[in-house]
Amino acid sequence: MADSDVRLIHRARPDSRIPRPAASRVALTAMLVVLLAISGFAIWASRTTQQSLTQISRLTSLTHATDSAALSFETEAFLVHQYLMRPSPDLKTAAAARSADVVAYLRTFKKDGDAQDAVLVENLLRLHQTFVGGTVGTMAAADRGDLVTAAAINSSIDPDFGAVQSKLAAASVHELAETNRAFTSLHQHQDFLVTVTAPTFGIGMLILLLLALIVLAYQRSAEKRAAEETLQLMHDALTGLPNRPLFRDRGDLALAAAARNSVSGAVMLLDLDRFKEVNDALGHDQGDALLRAVASRLKATLRDSDTVGRLGGDEFTILLPHVADREAAMAVAAKVADALQQSFLVGGVSLNLEVSLGFAIFPEQGQDIDTLIRRADTAMFVSKRDHVSCTAYAPELDANAPRAAALGGTWARYAPERPSAAVAAQIVAPDDVLG
């Protein structure tokens, strides 16, 4: 594809209006759903694991609180018994400290536990308060030396001690069992995640890959259709040759290159003589077939670097970006005329054509494509009028009467009333001009 084709494709692409296929939209939606599903699974796995760990942490705290409360309570009772045997301020202080620890651990248990645990703690606190009241009386009697009374008071609070100890032990066993169940549930959850995570993510990634391939395929298809439609807009529908916009674009490129590199080129116009007679005699289908055959022969005759375009009807344009001078352009024109004057077989009928060519040299005879086309058309009209194969443009041709007809509605044609004989001549093709 020529550079100008690429430029025109990029220029036309923003104006393309190719609807995205429904399947592509479905694929994009499915990709979003899969991504959301994978993300949702990851979030669910993370949250459930975190919830299990939080529950285990809470149950562990409850178990620690009950165990610590039980140990502190037993230590408190032991210190009271020791005080009966050997009263000591240190023992009384230690017993008071353990009593405070029991209350603190019970309040922690209440804070981290549920409603049922709160009821249990309130009951334990009342029993413990009764027990503490008894221990205070016991140690007061011991301080007075009344060991009988001290022993009696201490015996009276044994049921409270037993009740508190029993309830704390039951609570500890319960919380330990709950902790073990929570650990078991966490392990099962982790086993489940280990089992399903890899397949889930693998399947999800595979689905995403397949959907991405579908979207990519539709995207490439849309781009291909856009390029094809743009190329169709730049080429003649009948012959496949570049049309006026593409020919103009390539002409602009050739003129710019000629200016940079100080080289010359030529723009030719070619018209098939009496083509209307072919259409009238054989029909438009055969006329179209003839135009396609002419286009094919032109492309085969010229170089790859040259551009053959069709303006419409039986008129063709030729861009020669590299010709040394007027004589070289004449030689190319002669070879083109000779190639087209060989017989064409169309619809079983052998046809011999006559052609009229005109050309202008750039940059000396024009530095824009419009001027060159107009002057090549002026020269071509001279060829047609004087029944010669090719005429080179010369400034004196513009001094004669101009034609009023327009070329393709854009490039105006001008032709003389009486061309100069010096610039109109029959050209004979050399053996090999293009190589």
Side-chain angles (χ1 to χ4, degrees):
M1 184 183 294
D3 291 341
S4 59
D5 298 11
V6 175
R7 289 201 305 147
L8 284 178
I9 287 174
H10 286 290
R11 186 183 305 159
R13 183 164 294 170
D15 296 329
S16 299
R17 294 293 184 268
I18 299 178
R20 180 178 294 174
S24 179
R25 292 194 297 271
V26 171
L28 287 172
T29 303
M31 288 179 67
L32 179 60
V33 170
V34 172
L35 284 173
L36 289 176
I38 293 176
S39 300
F41 176 80
I43 293 173
W44 171 82
S46 176
R47 290 189 63 180
T48 51
T49 301
Q50 183 61 40
Q51 288 172 353
S52 296
L53 291 174
T54 301
Q55 176 71 357
I56 290 174
S57 176
R58 187 183 72 86
L59 292 173
T60 302
S61 175
L62 292 175
T63 302
H64 173 72
T66 54
D67 288 345
S68 298
L71 179 60
S72 296
F73 183 64
E74 290 174 357
T75 303
E76 178 186 5
F78 173 76
L79 291 173
V80 171
H81 282 287
Q82 289 293 316
Y83 193 85
L84 291 175
M85 292 182 291
R86 184 172 53 83
S88 166
D90 292 338
L91 290 176
K92 182 183 290 188
T93 301
R98 299 292 78 75
S99 176
D101 289 342
V102 171
V103 172
Y105 286 126
L106 288 177
R107 294 192 184 283
T108 299
F109 182 77
K110 179 181 180 180
K111 178 176 67 70
D112 295 336
D114 53 23
Q116 185 176 359
D117 294 331
V119 173
L120 173 62
V121 169
E122 291 298 327
N123 189 17
L124 286 171
L125 287 173
R126 286 193 298 270
L127 291 173
H128 181 258
Q129 186 63 32
T130 302
F131 177 79
V132 170
T135 59
V136 170
T138 299
M139 287 186 288
D143 290 340
R144 295 192 305 269
D146 189 357
L147 296 180
V148 174
T149 301
I153 295 174
N154 189 51
S155 297
S156 68
I157 61 174
D158 282 344
D160 296 324
F161 171 79
V164 171
Q165 189 180 42
S166 175
K167 290 181 182 296
L168 285 174
S172 178
V173 170
H174 173 75
E175 298 305 334
L176 181 60
E178 290 294 321
T179 302
N180 290 335
R181 279 194 291 270
F183 270 112
T184 301
S185 177
L186 177 61
H187 291 156
Q188 292 174 346
H189 179 67
Q190 290 177 330
D191 291 341
F192 171 77
L193 292 179
V194 169
T195 303
V196 304
T197 297
T200 298
F201 277 88
I203 294 173
M205 292 300 105
L206 179 60
I207 293 174
L208 285 177
L209 176 61
L210 293 176
L211 292 173
L213 291 176
I214 292 174
V215 172
L216 181 61
Y218 276 110
Q219 181 179 357
R220 289 179 176 175
S221 176
E223 291 177 352
K224 182 178 179 181
R225 287 197 301 272
E228 290 173 350
E229 289 186 4
T230 304
L231 286 175
Q232 289 174 2
L233 293 176
M234 294 188 300
H235 289 76
D236 175 56
L238 177 63
T239 62
L241 295 177
N243 59 12
R244 184 187 307 152
L246 180 53
F247 188 85
R248 177 192 289 274
D249 201 68
R250 292 188 180 180
D252 291 340
L253 289 175
L255 287 167
R260 287 194 306 270
N261 303 320
S262 299
V263 298
S264 60
V267 172
M268 290 185 179
L269 256 69
L270 181 152
D271 184 83
L272 305 180
D273 297 338
R274 296 188 299 277
F275 176 74
K276 184 175 182 303
E277 298 175 7
V278 176
N279 264 342
D280 293 342
L282 300 179
H284 289 286
D285 290 343
Q286 300 304 327
D288 290 346
L290 177 59
L291 291 175
R292 286 191 290 268
V294 168
S296 177
R297 192 170 293 183
L298 281 173
K299 289 192 294 185
T301 302
L302 295 167
R303 299 164 297 186
D304 291 339
S305 59
D306 302 328
T307 297
V308 182
R310 180 177 178 233
L311 296 184
D314 59 350
E315 294 175 321
F316 295 83
T317 53
I318 299 174
L319 174 65
L320 305 174
H322 304 289
V323 290
D325 49 31
R326 175 182 178 277
E327 288 71 23
M330 279 285 193
V332 176
K335 188 167 185 177
V336 170
D338 183 64
L340 295 183
Q341 286 169 357
Q342 297 178 29
S343 298
F344 288 88
L345 185 62
V346 177
V349 179
S350 179
L351 299 175
N352 293 313
L353 296 179
E354 292 184 3
V355 297
S356 299
L357 292 97
F359 67 87
I361 301 295
F362 63 83
E364 62 184 88
Q365 292 179 340
Q367 298 183 1
D368 63 87
I369 195 66
D370 290 343
T371 300
L372 291 165
I373 286 288
R374 185 174 65 250
R375 291 175 175 175
D377 181 59
T378 298
M380 184 192 72
F381 181 68
V382 173
S383 297
K384 184 178 289 289
R385 183 181 181 123
D386 289 359
H387 303 289
V388 296
S389 296
C390 182
T391 300
Y393 171 78
E396 55 264 33
L397 296 180
D398 291 330
N400 299 310
R403 286 167 52 190
L407 178 60
T410 300
W411 288 316
R413 289 174 169 175
Y414 297 90
E417 289 182 348
R418 186 182 299 277
S420 170
V423 295
Q426 180 74 34
I427 305 299
V428 178
D431 291 337
D432 188 3
V433 176
L434 301 178

